[in-house]
Amino acid sequence: MAKSKNQREKIIRFSCCLVPFWSVHIEGQVQGVGFRPHVSRIAQAKGLGGKVFNTSKGVTVEVYCSKLDLDEFLEELQSKLSPLAVISNLQIEQISNIGDITKDFQILPSQEGESKSANVSPDFGICMSCQSELLNPKSRRYQYPFISCTQCGPRYSILRGIPYDRHRSSMGNFGMCSSCMDEYHDEHDRRFHSQTNSCPDCPINLRIFPETDPTISKPIDFVDHAVTIIQSGGILAVKGTGGFLLLTDATNSDAVKLLRKRKQRPRKPLALMVHDENMLSDFFTVSHEEIELLRSAARPIVLCKPKEYTSLHGTQAWVAPGLSLLGVCLPADPLMFLISRKVGKPIIATSGNLHLSPLQFKDQEAIQNLLGIADAVIYHNREIHFPQDDSVLRIAENSQQKIILRRSRGLAPTFWNKVRIKTELPILALGADLKATFALWDVYNVYVSQYLGNLDSFDTQERYLDTLTKFLDLTGIQPQQILMDKHPLYHSRRFAGNFPHVNVTEVPHHEAHFAALLWEYAALDADEPILGVIWDGLGFGNDAALWGSEFFVFNSGEFERVCSFDYFDYILGDKMSIEPRLSALVLYYHTGEPLDFLKEKYSTTEWVLYTKMLDKGGHAQTNSMGRIFDAVSSILELCDFNTYEGEAAMLLEQLARNYFDANGHAATQSYFMDSIVKDKISGADLISQIIKDKSNGLDSGLIAAKFHLTLVHIISQVIQNTSCRKIGFSGGVFQNALLVDLLQQYLGDDYQLLFHEQLSPNDENISLGQMAWYHIKNRSQNLKIKSYVLGDSR
């Protein structure tokens, strides 16, 4: 069975006595859960003596046996691993002085140390064994909403210290009853050394606010009350693994409208939860790849195609206005599992937060802030230490390429290194402002935080800093090098001020995008040139313009910008990213063509003001591909005002997808295929041709399709100009699954295409990319990195 590469990484040492006076030492990496019980079971079954224990650096295993027994032990250890675990990089060397040799095999208490380099396991969704037990009336955990075992349950969200043990987590506040303690010590039980073990006799307790019914006391009473609220069209806030979710009936249009009104979320898509795969198949058409993602331990939200003529048909326009795909998930924890099962139909399960604020995760704050959106709040007394939104993924329809839209609960903070790369000093990378994350690198260990939101909000800035502070305390890492984006106005830069007397280095935004991709593919030392296509909203360029449509060639440690779209005016700051109509105006204004078509989008006062601004000139310059998408969306009358980030681009992708689905790909034309010059592409020319087609009455779907195909042809032309065989893609534009499909269709047979596998293509990957960029530059003897200490002159 294929092993997950998104779990916990640890250092492991095996000691084996080959003769009475010497032994073997093996080092490697382990990812996963329940590893110590796994080691113990195999050793006990083979009659081997020894011990296994956690340390702050990972796991240590000592086995006393012959060389033949050692080989058999290692083979079985790896072949019988949980699907959530991976072992790699085993090395053998002779050691001595292993201490007392015993015939028994023991799991010893963890040993703490100053170095806390063990990787952190993400949270895992409820496993099938616990689901079956939860519904078994003969089980003592029947309908107990906090059931877990070594293969499922919270990890990162409740963690307070390393190594991972109960007393260093939120479970440290809960003692185990005698029955749970027996399971904990029984090597044949699946709860053998399960740190989250509990049951109705030593429970995590549910609570509700407001307390309107004093008869609600048992867990099933809370579930029944939750179901009553949802089925009656109400809205409920429930504390999940990573924070609070807002639940309501997804088949009730009035309930969905009410949720949107109370949450001030007019059009942004809402996620759905279905109880199981049977309900999933009743309401959605899903591919094998989508099902595998949905049932994975991460339990992410996955964008799927709803079936027609179900009870969702009447509410789909309210769940995801203008879009044909809906985000759906399976329950991640037993409480959600019980609620969704009893509701018996799809429910809305969206983040419990205020407009523009981060996810609520503290009980009293949730009651204060969510009561008013929700009719009641159900919570429990197990504390969340690291809050996380649900992860969100999609699968490109034709190529089946996985695209991570949001990397959070179930995926973070683990990062799987294909090649172990060592840093000589601890590094903190602060990432970007939109889709903010931070990354840490200490010796061989790399962590990339969960998605932390957009730092325009003060509350989100506070959440970012709080998460960073707790994570540094958790790992014991003391950064000695800070990396940050070059954009002088990014909020993330100010966090460098929390680390006085530490060198700070600015990293180019788009080179960081490319470097993150190179690290994912173990290509930091690539011996052949790689072309990087980095398209996004915008980032601070090396010439102080706001880049966003870049082509780089990475070769011998250097990033050469070989092509991009022409610059155009960037006016009114963030207002331009909120109003796609401004992008259409700016790109078309200086073409000399009639402007009547665009003038209708503005009031008289606006038109006079904006045209005077453009006539005056002197504005910041950009070549943002995100703004080009916005302009096309506005021209095609899809979106003049974004109510959420990326709305215009998503509607444009949807329109083009509809056209391709109805007419096929082969007959679609392109606006220009071979007319680009070597290093510049005219965005104004492209927009001019699109407006001409629109004025001539050409079908908007065809125009959208031509636009997408034009981008593929542009990339193809640049590839031919550079002669690269490996092509990498990063930046938020490549969340567009149609574009990914077209790239695979037209270029996949002739070139090796590199898309992000562990990270999102959007700015969530910037923090890792900053570390990758620094490693590349620091390693090269002929390249100098400009660093400074905050407060010094630059």
Side-chain angles (χ1 to χ4, degrees):
M1 182 178 293
K3 304 295 192 279
S4 169
K5 291 185 177 179
N6 295 315
Q7 317 305 334
R8 183 170 56 143
E9 182 179 86
K10 300 176 179 177
I11 300 299
I12 175 172
R13 178 176 61 195
F14 293 94
S15 299
C16 174
C17 197
L18 302 183
V19 296
F21 306 105
W22 63 284
S23 57
V24 173
H25 176 74
I26 303 173
E27 286 191 352
Q29 293 179 329
V30 174
Q31 290 188 315
V33 294
F35 182 72
R36 289 176 298 164
H38 172 66
V39 172
S40 178
R41 288 190 188 98
I42 293 176
Q44 294 275 16
K46 300 181 74 66
L48 305 179
K51 53 193 173 184
V52 58
F53 52 93
N54 275 336
T55 73
S56 55
K57 292 185 177 181
V59 176
T60 295
V61 182
E62 294 184 0
V63 182
Y64 313 131
C65 58
S66 68
K67 180 62 168 68
L68 177 61
D69 285 340
L70 172 65
D71 292 340
E72 293 178 353
F73 173 79
L74 293 178
E75 180 180 357
E76 192 167 348
L77 186 70
Q78 298 179 81
S79 65
K80 294 185 177 181
L81 272 178
S82 158
L84 301 178
V86 173
I87 301 177
S88 65
N89 300 325
L90 295 180
Q91 299 175 351
I92 301 176
E93 62 176 322
Q94 293 184 357
I95 63 172
S96 59
N97 299 323
I98 61 174
D100 296 333
I101 298 177
T102 66
K103 294 182 179 180
D104 296 327
F105 195 92
Q106 299 175 309
I107 298 179
L108 299 183
S110 299
Q111 297 182 3
E112 299 186 56
E114 294 183 1
S115 176
K116 302 179 181 179
S117 61
N119 266 9
V120 179
S121 175
D123 299 312
F124 297 111
I126 179 173
C127 68
M128 294 302 297
S129 296
C130 282
Q131 288 182 29
S132 298
E133 187 178 354
L134 189 64
L135 301 179
N136 182 3
K138 296 181 180 179
S139 167
R140 66 191 186 88
R141 291 187 177 85
Y142 177 57
Q143 297 188 335
Y144 174 62
F146 300 98
I147 189 172
S148 68
C149 67
T150 56
Q151 297 302 303
C152 68
R155 298 292 191 279
Y156 174 50
S157 62
I158 63 172
L159 198 58
R160 292 184 174 278
I162 295 176
Y164 170 58
D165 284 300
R166 189 181 183 100
H167 69 277
R168 278 184 285 267
S169 76
S170 298
M171 291 302 299
N173 299 326
F174 302 90
M176 282 188 281
C177 66
S178 58
S179 297
C180 285
M181 191 66 75
D182 289 342
E183 293 170 332
Y184 184 85
H185 291 292
D186 183 357
E187 65 183 74
H188 301 293
D189 196 286
R190 78 174 195 278
R191 294 189 174 88
F192 182 43
H193 276 259
S194 172
Q195 305 303 322
T196 57
N197 201 18
S198 69
C199 77
D201 293 329
C202 51
I204 298 164
N205 291 311
L206 284 170
R207 298 168 183 170
I208 190 168
F209 191 91
E211 299 180 17
T212 56
D213 187 347
T215 65
I216 299 175
S217 59
K218 299 178 181 178
I220 195 60
D221 297 334
F222 288 92
V223 172
D224 289 340
H225 190 66
V227 172
T228 298
I229 292 174
I230 294 169
Q231 290 181 336
S232 63
I235 300 168
L236 180 69
V238 180
K239 186 177 181 181
T241 300
F244 282 83
L245 293 177
L246 292 169
L247 310 181
T248 196
D249 183 356
T251 67
N252 185 330
S253 295
D254 291 337
V256 178
K257 293 176 188 178
L258 180 63
L259 175 59
R260 285 197 175 279
K261 180 180 179 180
R262 289 181 179 178
K263 202 166 187 267
Q264 301 179 49
R265 187 172 175 170
R267 293 181 59 84
K268 187 176 182 180
L270 301 167
L272 304 176
M273 182 185 296
V274 295
H275 170 63
D276 57 17
E277 292 181 31
N278 290 330
M279 186 182 292
L280 178 70
S281 64
D282 287 341
F283 287 90
F284 292 89
T285 300
V286 291
S287 67
H288 171 75
E289 288 77 10
E290 289 166 343
I291 291 176
E292 288 298 305
L293 286 178
L294 285 163
R295 66 161 64 118
S296 69
R299 289 294 195 278
I301 296 168
V302 179
L303 302 192
C304 297
K305 186 176 182 179
K307 290 182 176 179
E308 296 181 355
Y309 311 117
T310 71
S311 54
L312 280 176
H313 187 71
T315 60
Q316 182 175 342
W318 290 99
V319 175
L323 302 176
S324 64
L325 300 181
L326 303 181
V328 62
C329 66
L330 295 171
D333 63 70
L335 178 57
M336 297 297 177
F337 180 87
L338 290 171
I339 291 174
S340 63
R341 179 175 180 271
K342 281 211 166 188
V343 170
K345 51 187 173 181
I347 56 178
I348 298 292
T350 190
S351 298
N353 63 323
L354 301 176
H355 183 58
L356 301 180
S357 294
L359 181 71
Q360 296 290 311
F361 72 103
K362 294 182 178 179
D363 300 339
Q364 294 306 311
E365 290 180 5
I367 291 172
Q368 178 181 348
N369 294 321
L370 297 182
L371 204 62
I373 298 177
D375 300 303
V377 179
I378 292 181
Y379 58 107
H380 54 78
N381 60 338
R382 184 181 66 202
E383 183 180 0
I384 296 172
H385 199 54
F386 286 100
Q388 306 155 83
D389 290 278
D390 292 330
S391 293
V392 184
L393 296 89
R394 70 184 301 188
I395 297 290
E397 183 176 331
N398 296 334
S399 63
Q400 299 300 303
Q401 175 70 45
K402 181 181 74 173
I403 304 171
I404 299 176
L405 304 178
R406 184 170 71 197
R407 178 182 172 276
S408 198
R409 183 191 49 76
L411 299 179
T414 305
F415 179 77
W416 171 257
N417 278 308
K418 291 184 177 180
V419 177
R420 297 181 77 197
I421 309 174
K422 183 179 181 180
T423 178
E424 298 302 324
L425 71 170
I427 297 174
L428 167 63
L430 296 172
D433 264 25
L434 298 181
K435 314 292 187 185
T437 64
F438 61 81
L440 284 162
W441 186 9
D442 184 31
V443 192
Y444 290 109
N445 291 283
V446 175
Y447 310 90
V448 182
S449 79
Q450 67 271 34
Y451 159 84
L452 293 167
N454 296 342
L455 296 180
D456 289 340
S457 157
F458 175 76
D459 288 342
T460 306
Q461 294 173 31
E462 291 294 294
R463 174 66 54 81
Y464 178 109
L465 185 58
D466 179 64
T467 304
L468 173 59
T469 301
K470 290 191 293 189
F471 201 89
L472 290 173
D473 182 63
L474 175 75
T475 59
I477 295 174
Q478 298 180 350
Q480 297 179 32
Q481 172 67 54
I482 306 295
L483 307 175
M484 63 185 186
D485 195 277
K486 287 188 69 171
H487 198 304
L489 300 181
Y490 268 9
H491 298 286
S492 56
R493 291 169 58 99
R494 75 178 179 86
F495 299 128
N498 290 40
F499 304 91
H501 313 300
V502 175
N503 274 352
V504 177
T505 303
E506 295 178 327
V507 180
H509 184 92
H510 294 90
E511 291 180 20
H513 265 302
F514 194 6
L517 188 69
L518 294 171
W519 192 332
E520 280 202 59
Y521 281 88
L524 299 180
D525 298 310
D527 57 2
E528 63 176 303
I530 302 175
L531 176 66
V533 185
I534 315 300
W535 289 355
D536 63 359
L538 57 84
F540 200 77
N542 293 339
D543 59 359
L546 300 172
W547 291 3
S549 57
E550 315 310 315
F551 295 86
F552 296 98
V553 171
F554 175 73
N555 194 17
S556 301
E558 296 190 46
F559 298 88
E560 180 187 1
R561 187 188 188 209
V562 296
C563 188
S564 67
F565 274 67
D566 281 330
Y567 291 141
F568 50 89
D569 288 336
Y570 186 76
I571 63 172
L572 300 170
D574 290 341
K575 187 178 179 68
M576 191 164 169
S577 64
I578 297 171
E579 300 185 18
R581 63 179 186 155
L582 289 174
S583 295
L585 173 62
V586 166
L587 275 157
Y588 195 59
Y589 188 72
H590 294 296
T591 64
E593 302 290 336
L595 299 170
D596 294 343
F597 172 74
L598 294 177
K599 191 174 181 179
E600 299 173 356
K601 297 179 178 291
Y602 299 90
S603 69
T604 301
T605 302
E606 288 175 330
W607 185 257
V608 172
L609 175 63
Y610 296 160
T611 53
K612 281 185 177 180
M613 290 177 62
L614 291 171
D615 288 335
K616 183 178 181 180
H619 305 291
Q621 296 294 291
T622 187
N623 59 4
S624 164
M625 181 56 70
R627 301 295 75 80
I628 292 174
F629 267 83
D630 282 352
V632 178
S633 187
S634 176
I635 291 166
L636 298 184
E637 307 292 346
L638 298 175
C639 184
D640 285 334
F641 298 88
N642 282 321
T643 64
Y644 60 89
E645 184 186 354
E647 180 178 7
M650 292 172 66
L651 293 173
L652 182 60
E653 176 191 354
Q654 180 68 68
L655 181 63
R657 172 70 76 181
N658 292 344
Y659 181 86
F660 281 124
D661 288 345
N663 299 280
H665 293 196
T668 307
Q669 301 173 349
S670 171
Y671 283 106
F672 50 87
M673 293 176 59
D674 305 314
S675 60
I676 67 171
V677 298
K678 184 175 179 61
D679 61 349
K680 287 296 177 185
I681 306 156
S682 174
D685 183 25
L686 174 58
I687 294 299
S688 180
Q689 294 182 60
I690 289 172
I691 290 182
K692 182 178 179 180
D693 272 355
K694 178 68 175 175
S695 299
N696 290 335
L698 198 67
D699 178 71
S700 292
L702 175 57
I703 296 173
K706 287 177 66 177
F707 170 70
H708 278 79
L709 197 55
T710 298
L711 299 181
V712 176
H713 289 151
I714 289 172
I715 293 171
S716 177
Q717 183 64 50
V718 175
I719 292 173
Q720 294 176 43
N721 292 342
T722 61
S723 301
C724 292
R725 307 305 301 175
K726 291 183 178 180
I727 321 299
F729 303 90
S730 189
V733 169
F734 295 104
Q735 295 174 124
N736 184 320
L738 172 61
L739 184 57
V740 170
D741 273 342
L742 292 172
L743 289 167
Q744 292 282 18
Q745 176 184 344
Y746 285 93
L747 304 177
D749 291 339
D750 298 321
Y751 305 98
Q752 182 180 351
L753 307 185
L754 311 179
F755 295 96
H756 286 283
E757 295 178 338
Q758 292 192 62
L759 304 175
S760 173
N762 65 37
D763 278 7
E764 289 179 31
N765 72 52
I766 289 295
S767 57
L768 180 81
Q770 289 167 344
M771 297 196 304
W773 182 92
Y774 182 84
H775 172 75
I776 291 167
K777 299 297 183 181
N778 196 52
R779 179 196 58 203
S780 302
Q781 296 298 319
N782 298 325
L783 298 173
K784 301 296 183 181
I785 303 176
K786 182 181 178 181
S787 298
Y788 57 90
V789 175
L790 287 183
D792 294 350
S793 63
R794 300 189 184 186

